[in-house]
Amino acid sequence: MGRHRAPEPPRRGPARSVPGRIAVATGVTCCLGLIGVAGVGETGPAPLEVREAVADRAAADQRASRDFTRVAPPAAGALPPPAPTPSATPATKKPPRKPVPPKRPRPVAGLDQRQMDNAKAIVDVGREMKMPRRALVVAVATAMQESNLYNLASDVLPESFDHPHQGSGSDHDSVGLFQQRPSSGWGTVAQLMRPAYAARAFYAALREVPGWEDMSVTAAAQAVQVSAYPDAYARHEKRATTVVAALV
């Protein structure tokens, strides 16, 4: 008591002097760190030298950030756009397939291929006309007797040789598979030389015979053909039945 302690002189830290503050400011890389160190122990605004140093640092950082080109990273899960695909070369169109011709029927009953083809033409026309099976047998048996199932021209009609034929006959002006006569109104020479037309003409005439379905093959054929040998058709019935069975 009675003694008084002399007041100690105020301590001066390195941060309180201007030279010290400048040294700290220049050694710190972060602006915030610089401001924190420079403001230790002071509540007032930073001295002019410190503010100038901070301003110079900020300006340098801004110049650096403007000079550096930044590219935004792709969004998560995003894929780079696909490369453009070259235009596809149009596929070469295949030429249309040629229609496959129908198989030729295998000859039966001792016939050759030409005879079998003619028998098929007769049967096909009959089926197209919805004729019963018995009519097909009558027609084939008739052609067997009249022309032996060959498409014949006539020695009496020279023009008949201008059409496809498989031989010739000399029975008046008779032509074709059924030896039908143009002079009797069966058709023109050109028409009767076509197997399909000749068969159609035969079936049309057979339809006009009353009760032909109940007649024998010989009687039905004779009713259409009015042949000088009416019994000759009977001998072809069995073979004609075999041929029709192979084609239907």
Side-chain angles (χ1 to χ4, degrees), residues 6-217:
E8 296 181 358
R11 299 181 179 179
R12 297 178 58 90
R16 295 185 62 87
S17 63
V18 172
R21 289 197 299 270
I22 295 176
V24 172
T26 57
V28 178
T29 59
C30 179
C31 296
L32 295 179
L34 175 61
I35 295 172
V37 173
V40 172
E42 291 186 357
T43 58
L48 178 60
E49 294 86 346
V50 175
R51 290 199 300 270
E52 291 175 352
V54 172
D56 292 341
R57 179 67 178 183
D61 289 345
Q62 290 174 2
R63 286 193 299 271
S65 63
R66 286 194 299 269
D67 294 339
F68 183 73
T69 302
R70 290 180 173 85
V71 179
L79 297 177
T85 56
S87 59
T89 303
T92 304
K93 292 184 178 180
K94 295 182 179 179
R97 300 180 63 180
K98 295 181 179 180
V100 180
K103 294 182 179 179
R104 301 177 72 180
R106 183 176 62 85
V108 297
L111 302 182
D112 62 24
Q113 189 63 60
R114 292 181 300 170
Q115 291 171 306
M116 196 67 184
D117 291 343
N118 289 330
K120 183 178 185 302
I122 294 171
V123 170
D124 288 348
V125 170
R127 297 182 68 185
E128 180 185 339
M129 295 177 66
K130 309 298 182 185
M131 298 297 287
R133 190 184 187 110
R134 183 168 180 79
L136 310 183
V137 174
V138 172
V140 172
T142 301
M144 284 180 171
Q145 171 60 29
E146 297 292 352
S147 65
N148 196 22
L149 276 174
Y150 290 116
N151 192 29
L152 301 178
S154 173
D155 296 334
V156 178
L157 297 172
E159 62 178 297
S160 63
F161 290 91
D162 296 334
H163 307 282
H165 59 280
Q166 299 164 331
S168 65
S170 56
D171 183 10
H172 301 289
D173 58 344
S174 302
V175 294
L177 292 177
F178 294 90
Q179 291 293 281
Q180 295 152 327
R181 299 178 65 180
S183 61
S184 298
W186 286 96
T188 66
V189 173
Q191 290 172 332
L192 297 175
M193 289 299 294
R194 298 202 304 267
Y197 179 92
R200 188 175 299 276
F202 178 86
Y203 287 123
L206 182 62
R207 277 178 172 172
E208 298 299 321
V209 177
W212 71 267
E213 299 91 337
D214 300 324
M215 295 179 180
S216 65
V217 170

